[in-house]
């Protein structure tokens, strides 16, 4: 059985009280499965609740959805990698498409955040993906490679990260890439990583992944797991998704 990572991105949902009852349900329903890791990215206000709630199960982990690159100081509203680590984060989403497209994060800023995560020993999950316009004009691979180069660059061979390929047009829209489409882009990302000395990097797929399409997507050997937003918000549905049987 190949190792798979299931990452739940709660986005701006589930405050501390809701997170506590979510975990109570999830932990009762979900026993560790061989070769499966489940990572939770709650909103920052719920991070400590989730990190503590997961206890010391080695298959479960909490991460932060976004960080600022400075480690402390007069940056009202921002959270640094060391602060997230103090609250129990072990990983960080970096360059999620909503940070890039709703909040205007640039490739350069994504790179600085990735470096800050690494410096604080948070495992970065670097998100890349093209918009519909870029896809329609045949730029998907160029965009994804540019995002990889901007964030990882020469560091690729010396650091450990996870990549999440999330086509922007598939996020929260109910439209998802076909398993073949996803696998094609994953293969290109894999080729880039190999060229840059990071062949053993995990690559997740994200964008409207749900109970109905997870098995078909994960049947593609190129996918090492999924990053899931909407379909991770109900603890029992998420439990079922994480238990998806993979051919
Ligand atoms: P979605 O979000 O599953 O709701 O499309 C995925 C993500 O943005 O990480």
């Amino acid at each position: 059985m190949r190792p798979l990572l299931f990452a739940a991105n709660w986005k701006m949902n589930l405050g501390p009280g809701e997170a506590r009852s979510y975990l109570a349900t999830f932990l009762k329903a979900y026993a560790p499965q061989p070769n499966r890791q489940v990572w939770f990215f709650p909103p920052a206000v719920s991070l400590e609740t989730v990190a503590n709630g997961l206890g010391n199960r080695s298959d479960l982990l909490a991460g932060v959805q976004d960080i600022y690159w400075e480690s402390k100081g007069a940056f009202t509203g921002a959270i640094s990698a060391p602060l997230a680590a103090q609250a129990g984060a072990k990983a960080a989403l970096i360059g999620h498409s909503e940070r890039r497209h709703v909040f205007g994060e640039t490739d350069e800023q994504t790179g600085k955040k990735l470096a800050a995560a690494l410096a604080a020993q948070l495992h970065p999950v670097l998100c890349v993906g093209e918009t519909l316009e870029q896809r329609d004009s045949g730029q998907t691979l160029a965009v994804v490679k540019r995002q990889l180069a901007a964030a990882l660059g020469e560091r690729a061979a010396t650091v450990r990260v996870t990549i999440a390929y999330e086509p922007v047009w598939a996020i929260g829209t109910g439209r998802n890439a076909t398993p073949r489409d996803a696998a094609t882009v994953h293969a290109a990302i894999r080729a880039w990583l190999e060229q840059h000395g990071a062949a053993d990097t995990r690559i997740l797929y994200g964008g409207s992944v749900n109970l109905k399409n997870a098995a078909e997507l994960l049947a593609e050997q190129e996918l090492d797991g999924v990053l899931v937003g909407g379909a991770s918000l109900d603890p029992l549905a998420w439990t079922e998704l994480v238990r998806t049987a993979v051919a």
Side-chain angles (χ1 to χ4, degrees):
M1 207 189 270
R2 73 190 212 272
L4 290 174
L5 170 57
F6 293 78
N9 175 11
W10 289 356
K11 308 192 181 186
M12 202 168 71
N13 299 287
L14 305 181
E18 294 161 315
R20 211 169 289 120
S21 60
Y22 180 112
L23 285 190
T25 305
F26 174 78
L27 291 171
K28 212 181 305 156
Y30 182 70
Q33 308 285 306
N35 283 323
R36 290 203 181 185
Q37 294 264 316
V38 188
W39 293 9
F40 292 93
F41 294 90
V45 291
S46 303
L47 187 51
E48 192 167 11
T49 301
V50 172
N52 291 340
L54 295 177
N56 47 16
R57 261 178 65 172
S58 62
D59 62 323
L60 308 176
L61 168 157
V64 64
Q65 294 176 8
D66 181 45
I67 50 164
Y68 189 56
W69 52 85
E70 295 288 350
S71 56
K72 62 178 179 177
F75 303 102
T76 303
I79 292 162
S80 69
L83 291 181
Q86 230 183 90
K90 300 274 189 255
L93 296 181
I94 301 290
H96 187 275
S97 78
E98 283 146 21
R99 298 308 312 177
R100 294 179 192 262
H101 297 290
V102 180
F103 298 99
E105 183 171 314
T106 64
D107 279 345
E108 192 205 343
Q109 291 172 333
T110 300
K112 284 160 111 172
K113 291 180 177 188
L114 188 127
L118 290 167
Q121 260 109 54
L122 295 183
H123 181 91
V125 178
L126 171 65
C127 304
V128 298
E130 80 288 3
T131 63
L132 188 57
E133 201 183 14
Q134 289 164 335
R135 181 183 187 81
D136 288 346
S137 55
Q139 294 174 64
T140 298
L141 299 186
V143 167
V144 162
K145 285 181 196 166
R146 187 200 74 221
Q147 291 171 335
L148 289 171
L152 281 172
E154 298 311 311
R155 274 194 291 260
T158 55
V159 299
R160 290 200 68 81
V161 304
T162 293
I163 307 295
Y165 168 58
E166 298 200 306
V168 179
W169 50 270
I171 295 179
T173 58
R175 283 186 64 185
N176 62 309
T178 65
R180 268 288 87 206
D181 284 347
T184 303
V185 182
H186 277 233
I189 293 172
R190 173 82 54 216
W192 188 94
L193 291 165
E194 273 166 11
Q195 268 167 26
H196 290 79
D200 62 348
T201 303
R202 224 172 0 197
I203 310 174
L204 312 180
Y205 173 76
S208 297
V209 175
N210 57 36
L211 257 175
K212 288 205 188 92
N213 58 29
E216 201 190 0
L217 283 160
L218 288 167
E220 293 290 345
Q221 296 293 316
E222 291 288 346
L223 275 63
D224 300 312
V226 284
L227 176 57
V228 182
S232 71
L233 293 176
D234 176 82
L236 290 176
W238 175 239
T239 302
E240 218 180 310
L241 203 157
V242 173
R243 299 170 74 133
T244 297
V246 175

